[in-house]
Amino acid sequence: MHSYQSFVELNPIVKSAQHILVFTGAGVSAESGIATFRDALTGLWANNDPEQLATPEGFLDDPARVWGWYQWRRQQLAGCLPNAAHRAITKLPAQGRQVTVVTQNVDDLHERAGSREVVHLHGSLLATRCFDCAALAQVPVSAVPLAGEAISPPACEHCGGMLRPGVVWFGEMLPQDAWSAALAAAERCDLVLVVGTSGLVYPAAQIPQLAWESGATVVHVNTEPVPVAAEREFSLVGPAGQVLPALLESEESMGSE
Ligand code: OAD
């Protein structure tokens, strides 16, 4: 899964880190049963066209297709639970560190596991707002089993416009406050755990690189090996639900071996 040597080398670094930035992607929620985007067979973008489902143009082209797909994802999320990776991250603050979770995920599994400071760079499946006037709206998760079928979006109660999911689509700006918080954390952290992301979507993918340039150690946790720089960068290969608990919860036993 990962080399014992890496753990031995990382143990003192993890132990002494004062500000840890945990930067997560879809892989951290994969073991909760939520599909990633780019995994070859199961990824959402392997089986669906992101142009149709994750752009403002795709929404305007067929609002019911897009709204129905996100309602299905919201319903799926309601039936999922945080996994061992989400839980391991919550153990860090108890060990006296400052921890900022910056996630690209639109689920709420970090929060449900108990993480307090969670920055959502790509919005949230739980949020809904008007496409036209941006007013926030509350839309209950459907009690009827959904399969991604077309469902017309409800109308905004303020302006009558179409409601849309509160996620960031391709071509849209990231929420300014979330981006600023992520940049600030990248600048001040001394350790970054980059968990379950392909690192292909910008600007989010800049965050680990910026932290490394500011002097932080970067540790990737991914089922695939990640190419690393010569210094201060490590790749731990394996499912996040196994690697993170081993790295974050067993520091004492690692240290004494
Ligand atoms: P991707 O689907 O691009 O990448 C998921 C990564 O997780 C891959 O590198 C996998 O190897 C890894 N992985 C899969 N299962 C894992 C596991 N159990 N443990 C650890 N790693 C695992 O997802 P993201 O990088 O999150 O944007 O994608 C970035 C953005 O692209 C998303 O936020 C989304 C998408 O379009 C928006 O919605 C705006």
Side-chain angles (χ1 to χ4, degrees), residues 35-251:
T36 63
F37 293 94
R38 295 177 182 78
D39 280 282
L41 295 177
T42 55
L44 292 174
W45 298 157
N47 297 298
N48 299 280
D49 181 357
E51 291 290 328
Q52 287 183 352
L53 295 171
T55 62
E57 296 78 16
F59 180 67
L60 290 175
D61 182 49
D62 191 343
R65 175 175 58 202
V66 176
W67 182 259
W69 191 69
Y70 283 93
Q71 289 304 97
W72 164 71
R73 287 182 63 198
R74 291 180 71 197
Q75 193 177 58
Q76 184 194 37
L77 172 60
C80 291
L81 293 171
N83 66 51
H86 300 104
R87 289 194 296 274
I89 293 164
T90 68
K91 300 288 192 302
L92 283 164
Q95 294 163 356
R97 305 162 162 107
Q98 192 182 350
V99 177
T100 310
V101 178
V102 175
T103 189
Q104 298 164 91
N105 296 344
V106 293
D107 66 50
D108 61 345
L109 297 181
H110 285 301
E111 287 92 338
R112 278 201 258 154
S115 284
R116 289 212 198 101
E117 203 185 328
V118 184
V119 176
H120 282 270
L121 289 180
H122 290 165
S124 167
L125 271 182
L126 277 63
T128 302
R129 66 172 188 270
C130 177
F131 188 86
D132 294 332
C133 77
L136 297 177
Q138 295 286 341
V139 178
V141 175
S142 171
V144 183
L146 302 174
E149 62 267 31
I151 303 170
S152 292
C156 171
E157 62 179 32
H158 300 283
C159 76
M162 289 186 291
L163 295 185
R164 57 159 285 176
V167 304
V168 176
W169 283 328
F170 291 104
E172 294 185 316
M173 299 286 287
L174 270 51
Q176 187 56 49
D177 52 347
W179 181 241
S180 300
L183 284 178
E187 211 162 273
R188 68 175 181 259
C189 68
D190 43 17
L191 174 66
V192 192
L193 305 175
V194 184
V195 187
T197 178
S198 57
L200 292 173
V201 174
Y202 283 82
Q206 283 174 21
I207 293 296
Q209 180 65 27
L210 290 172
W212 186 84
E213 286 166 10
S214 299
T217 297
V218 179
V219 180
H220 300 270
V221 176
N222 200 297
T223 41
E224 301 294 327
V226 176
V228 293
E231 51 173 307
R232 287 188 286 107
E233 193 170 15
F234 299 81
S235 168
L236 300 178
V237 181
Q242 291 177 31
V243 177
L244 276 185
L247 182 68
L248 303 182
E249 291 173 7
S250 317
E251 292 175 59

